[in-house]
Amino acid sequence: MSNTARAPSRTRLIRSLPLAATWIALVSCADPLAEVRTVEGDLGAQLAFSTFLGERPATLRTAGFDAEGNVIVAGGTDGGSWPGREQRLGAGGDWDVTVAKFAPDGTLLWGRVFGGPDEDYAYVSAVNPDGDIVIGGRAGIGFPVTAGSADSEFGGGVAGRVHGATDGFLMRLSPDGELRWATYIGGSGNENTRAIQWLDDGAIAVGSGNSLSRDLPTDVGTLPGPVFKPQAGGELEGWVGVVAADGASFDFLSYFGPDDEAGRRDDTVRALAEDANGDLWIGGTSRGRAMTPTPNAFQADRTDAPGDSSAWVAKLSRDGRRLLYFSWLGGAGDDEIETEGASDSQGRFYVAGSTSSSDFPVTVGAYQAPPTNSRDGWVARIDADGALGFSVRYGGDGNDGFYGPGIAPDGSVVTGARIRSAAAPTSPDALMRRRGGKQDGGFAVFGPSGEFRYASHFGGADYDSTRFANFSPDGARIVLVGGSASSDFPLKDATQTRSGGAYVAVFDLVRPIEGE
């Protein structure tokens, strides 16, 4: 979730225990032979509150803070209970969209469920200065779209695929969780919304990928056309667009990304942000190669083998007509950008993901984990002029990856982490220094030049995953969301102590980050 700038009773499970002692109990069941790899940083973190939500296999995919420090989270549930759901719109199906809002002290303020008779799920979200929330994801037939929206009819899709027949969707909620409007975004094939950004002019940028549609409505925008890419060029296509603040129209909608090679199924937009001029930063992943980098690209060539994926970053004019920038971002292996993307006050673009490339570009002065034969997380900043500001690689001997990122006022960046390594690099005073189960969640913080500031595992003795991390607007707090199968997952001042799949955890930084 990009940011601009407790009713039920709660059980206090670890209030009386020192945080470090709690984690000693948790990590004692991890591999005792695993080497603990520590890196000195200048930050610390303490758990403020954490809670389960919903029933398995519920999960959360996106989170952020509003201007008052409230925490908003979104994801999906398979139709089981969802706490505080005073409002449920739609018939409900295999999966429904879930949203919840917490006060700064962890009090649950409200919960909402939205869905139709098929499968619906939230991937991304954003909050504006007034506290309104926009959420995007995938939706099937019967999703509660509103009359007069930009695309009020379900376009269709291919039944029997991983998520069934779906369109993308975008919805706007009030600070109290009331539905202001909702719209589909799609054609006759399958789509989802995997990137989102609230623009300074009040409109909402959206993006997606792996679209099977050849008939997206690229000719219905209110801005003069033609758009950059009005027709699909490959088997699966990315797309990007802007929806008006009232949800009633598209400013533009355009396919975007390199054309797929025959039989290649990966062309996706997963990160969006706004630069200082109001133009759109875009980040994605593609196996297709039919895209010419611009003269100011920091990486003009690809070195990966045919069939591998490469990350890329680009910039499109606000009207959707002109490509302003394009560069590859990757090495000789497989590289991808994950959900969501962010920009800072200088219009610099931040993206994160995972890589199997031993030669993934890492900048001088930035943190780089010792090379292994595994998959690692990475996070990078692209400066306003298109130069690679910094790039970090992080991981251990397992399959690790980054989700996010979130940006602090001083340009520091936080990423959520998937950690399958027995002992990924952590801070000496980390909450958890070894993997506690089959897979951990966690988070890492890097400074304005990519220098290491803090990292910790986070989870219990089973399978845990952090799917997103974000800073509060003042840089004093970090929120993590994801899913957990651990019955001993670390809870504090929990709204729900019963294991429910989804979790939210908020941390206070011991030495809060201040602005530049």
Side-chain angles (χ1 to χ4, degrees), residues 43-357:
L43 292 178
Q46 294 179 340
L47 184 63
F49 71 87
S50 61
T51 185
F52 285 123
L53 288 177
E55 296 181 3
R56 293 184 186 177
T59 189
L60 292 169
R61 293 293 293 266
T62 178
F65 295 85
D66 65 14
E68 298 177 350
N70 300 308
V71 179
I72 299 96
V73 300
T77 181
D78 67 347
S81 64
W82 186 254
R85 64 177 192 192
E86 299 92 344
Q87 183 179 97
R88 180 175 187 133
L89 292 181
D94 292 339
W95 281 82
D96 291 321
V97 172
T98 55
V99 193
K101 184 175 182 176
F102 293 86
D105 67 352
T107 299
L108 178 66
L109 299 176
W110 50 257
R112 299 288 186 267
V113 178
F114 303 90
D118 288 337
E119 185 173 322
D120 314 296
Y121 192 83
Y123 290 109
V124 291
S125 60
V127 182
N128 75 0
D130 297 326
D132 271 22
I133 306 153
V134 286
I135 298 168
R138 66 176 189 263
I141 192 169
F143 191 78
V145 298
T146 50
S149 64
D151 186 357
S152 59
E153 298 293 331
F154 181 66
V158 180
R161 295 183 64 84
V162 175
H163 300 303
T166 61
D167 278 352
F169 80 85
L170 185 69
M171 64 193 308
R172 180 170 180 169
L173 306 181
S174 73
D176 295 327
E178 302 302 312
L179 180 65
R180 296 196 188 278
W181 52 260
T183 183
Y184 285 120
I185 307 173
S188 58
N190 290 54
E191 277 85 34
N192 53 54
T193 302
R194 291 297 301 269
I196 198 170
Q197 179 70 35
W198 214 309
L199 305 179
D200 287 346
D201 61 13
I204 303 103
V206 292
S208 184
N210 291 345
S211 172
L212 287 168
S213 295
R214 294 295 178 268
D215 55 355
L216 285 177
T218 59
D219 58 349
V220 300
T222 59
L223 300 180
V227 295
F228 170 69
K229 190 175 183 181
Q231 296 180 338
E235 182 178 7
L236 292 174
E237 280 284 339
W239 55 261
V240 64
V242 173
V243 178
D246 61 3
S249 61
F250 295 106
D251 285 3
F252 76 87
L253 190 63
S254 175
Y255 290 102
F256 194 88
D259 291 343
D260 289 345
E261 299 175 15
R264 304 301 184 193
R265 290 179 171 268
D266 189 2
D267 205 0
T268 183
V269 171
R270 287 193 175 179
L272 287 170
E274 186 175 21
D275 78 356
N277 298 318
D279 295 316
L280 303 181
W281 281 112
I282 307 170
T285 304
S286 182
R287 289 177 178 157
R289 297 168 182 261
M291 197 76 152
T292 301
T294 51
N296 57 338
F298 61 82
Q299 182 178 331
D301 299 314
R302 288 177 63 166
T303 59
D304 56 318
D308 284 341
S309 294
S310 178
W312 50 262
V313 289
K315 188 182 291 187
L316 189 67
S317 62
R318 172 61 177 81
D319 60 9
R321 299 181 64 180
R322 294 174 293 119
L323 179 68
L324 305 177
Y325 177 83
F326 184 90
S327 177
W328 299 110
L329 175 56
D334 189 80
D335 312 292
E336 68 172 351
I337 284 178
E338 260 296 346
T339 312
E340 298 187 26
S343 59
D344 61 19
S345 60
Q346 299 179 47
R348 300 178 296 189
F349 188 35
Y350 299 76
V351 286
S354 66
T355 179
S356 66
S357 298

